[in-house]
Amino acid sequence: MRILWILRGIYGILRHNNRKREGIAMERELRAEIISCNANNEEICASAARISTTAGDAREIFENARGNPKNRSLIGKVLASGHKSLIEHAVFTIALRNVSVFTEQFLIESRLASFTVKSRRYVDFSNLGYYVPPELEGEDLAQYLSYMDHLFEAYQALLEAGIPREDARFLLPYSFHSNFYCTLNARELGHVLREIRYGRGREIPELQDLADQLIEQLEGLFPCLLPELRPFSGGSPAMEETPLCHSSAVPVYLPQREAGAVTLLNAPSEPQKLLEAAYRMQHPGENRPFDMENLLKSQRPRELEQLAYTFAVSDVTLSGITHLVRHRMQSIVVPSVTTVDHSRYIVPDTVSAVPSALKRYQQAVEEAHDTVKKLNGPLRKYHYYFALSGNLMNVLTTMNARELQWFIRLRSCNRAQWEVRNIAVELLRQLRHRFPELFNRFGPSCFVSGGCPEGRLSCGQKDTVVSLFQVLR
């Protein structure tokens, strides 16, 4: 087996070099580029620092800040005193190019940032490449390239066999290139950079590279932030090497129907009373009986935010987690990809239904599983890039009823990806059992409002979907 891997690796290096000569290298330069920011960041933040203690209206204070040489020192003094909110007025949009999906997952957990990501459901990733750690060389590099190339080939073979992209992607390794936009304010950007430098990301060379690029750009665009990039108080805790997890000596395959099992862990004991109390607070002096239907028709149903529900969702694919974490108004606990169990894999129904595709899928998984078990040296350190998008993890999330209303409306729709749709439907089923007076009214847009927002992309099965959610219990 070792000789086979060496031969494959030599072939991989030759093919990798040939791709470079042809201009379609699988390894492309990763970049984090600030493509947009406020035109007057320092003036705006300095104005925010002055407004509470300076005479004049907001516009006058801003005009007086234009070209004021004391702006930067003032911002520094206010930040040093612990008042950080002023730099929330400085906003940046970053284009992230050819970073690994592992890095995407790390960044997208920043709850106060906005992300738009290239979809793996609609885009063919066959030739979009993957990240290669620069330190790898010789036999380690050969084995890494061979592993990644074989998975990309299997992914492409599934596409050619008619498997949908959203299911073929479960074979993509977590090194594959992602491209996305991230918009965040300077305070959150500082938090992200400190987390990379001194927190969870400090042993990840790819993240360090991106931090170097961003800090270099900030030196010219917003140097006020640089003093904030200090180590966490008390220093950085010692990093413990995360053990490479294999719970089984052979791959464990989970059928589609068992993915994303939902358990409601916590719910308000008297939700009706909470809603009515919040409603009375919002409408002082109103004597009309509390009406659930009118509450849900409100353009601002803040009362729903008083009801918090906690769910455990087990056996979610790494791909499925990316759908869940896009909902910003939740408290979600997601384990690091560095802790993934490399033994457990999803098998989607579309693959199971085609014997040749199933054979290729399982062959790719088994080869990947055997390789990861034997990783050592530098490769073992980078085992998170060897994870497959179809590997499974468990997550915990808490959402209030207003966010649940939006989550269920989007994710229980027939247009949603099947894994997150199944989670949303099962989540709704348990909520209806717990508090039917409210949650019997929740469902996809066609059920809730009678219309479909998908336009020409509509599933065309409105009546069937509405009937399904009328009887869902």
Side-chain angles (χ1 to χ4, degrees), residues 154-431:
Y155 166 81
Q156 191 164 19
L158 290 185
L159 295 182
E160 292 170 355
I163 303 302
R165 294 186 183 108
E166 67 176 2
D167 292 343
R169 66 175 171 165
F170 291 132
L171 286 184
L172 289 174
Y174 245 52
S175 62
F176 77 84
H177 280 156
S178 176
N179 284 261
F180 58 98
Y181 300 113
C182 170
T183 298
L184 69 178
N185 65 49
R187 186 175 186 177
E188 183 69 2
L189 177 55
H191 172 76
V192 170
L193 290 172
R194 290 177 72 208
E195 192 67 32
I196 291 174
R197 281 289 193 247
Y198 313 111
R200 296 178 297 117
R202 69 180 184 273
E203 299 295 331
I204 311 295
E206 182 185 6
L207 289 170
Q208 296 304 315
D209 187 352
L210 293 175
D212 288 342
Q213 295 180 32
L214 290 170
I215 290 170
E216 182 180 356
Q217 294 168 68
L218 287 169
E219 288 174 352
L221 292 172
F222 195 58
C224 301
L225 185 60
L226 300 183
E228 289 295 293
L229 307 183
R230 299 184 300 270
F232 295 112
S233 59
S236 301
M239 290 286 285
E240 297 182 6
E241 183 177 351
T242 304
L244 195 157
C245 181
H246 262 87
S247 64
S248 173
V250 296
V252 175
Y253 296 105
L254 202 71
Q256 177 173 313
R257 67 181 180 277
E258 295 181 20
V262 176
T263 304
L264 177 59
L265 298 180
N266 192 42
S269 58
E270 296 183 294
Q272 182 83 18
K273 286 186 178 180
L274 267 177
L275 278 184
E276 185 162 0
Y279 181 83
R280 297 299 177 201
M281 190 73 70
Q282 285 272 82
H283 303 83
E286 186 175 295
N287 296 319
R288 289 185 302 173
F290 173 68
D291 188 308
M292 190 80 74
E293 196 65 38
N294 285 337
L295 170 64
L296 294 179
K297 289 178 181 178
S298 168
Q299 295 298 309
R300 192 171 178 261
R302 296 292 300 273
E303 295 89 341
L304 296 177
E305 297 172 22
Q306 308 309 309
L307 306 183
Y309 295 83
T310 299
F311 301 88
V313 188
S314 59
D315 291 321
V316 189
T317 66
L318 294 183
S319 289
I321 288 173
T322 67
H323 291 279
L324 288 175
V325 298
R326 289 174 193 169
H327 291 266
R328 317 310 296 163
M329 302 306 294
Q330 62 174 318
S331 297
I332 187 165
V333 178
V334 180
S336 170
V337 177
T338 60
T339 67
V340 70
D341 184 345
H342 290 272
S343 296
R344 296 172 59 77
Y345 308 86
I346 192 69
V347 180
D349 289 348
T350 57
V351 171
S352 298
V354 182
S356 61
L358 178 61
K359 181 178 179 181
R360 185 63 189 266
Y361 188 93
Q362 291 179 326
Q363 180 185 19
V365 165
E366 287 162 10
E367 288 190 5
H369 183 268
D370 290 343
T371 299
V372 173
K373 280 198 302 184
K374 299 169 185 174
L375 290 180
N376 53 54
L379 290 179
R380 187 178 182 87
K381 179 174 72 174
Y382 292 113
H383 73 88
Y384 42 86
Y385 290 128
F386 287 73
L388 302 192
S389 300
N391 279 132
L392 301 163
M393 299 188 85
N394 302 329
V395 302
L396 190 77
T397 183
T398 299
M399 299 188 202
N400 65 50
R402 190 174 183 184
E403 179 63 14
L404 283 165
Q405 182 184 39
W406 183 244
F407 176 82
I408 291 167
R409 179 174 290 198
L410 287 179
R411 300 303 187 175
S412 63
C413 170
N414 270 3
R415 289 279 301 152
Q417 189 268 344
W418 61 261
E419 184 178 9
V420 74
R421 182 174 68 245
N422 290 348
I423 291 170
V425 172
E426 181 54 31
L427 184 149
L428 177 58
R429 189 192 310 276
Q430 296 187 32
L431 289 169

Side-chain angles (χ1 to χ4, degrees), residues 15-29 98 125-130 149 152 156 177:
R15 181 169 50 181
H16 184 70
N17 290 337
N18 187 55
R19 283 177 172 144
K20 285 186 174 182
R21 286 193 296 272
E22 294 173 356
I24 53 171
M26 293 299 281
E27 179 190 1
R28 298 180 173 94
E29 184 180 12
N98 303 322
F125 274 70
S126 298
N127 295 307
L128 295 186
Y130 53 83
D149 284 346
F152 270 81
Q156 191 164 19
H177 280 156

Side-chain angles (χ1 to χ4, degrees), residues 446-459:
C446 58
F447 172 80
V448 172
S449 65
C452 176
E454 295 290 336
R456 62 183 181 83
L457 297 178
S458 172
C459 71

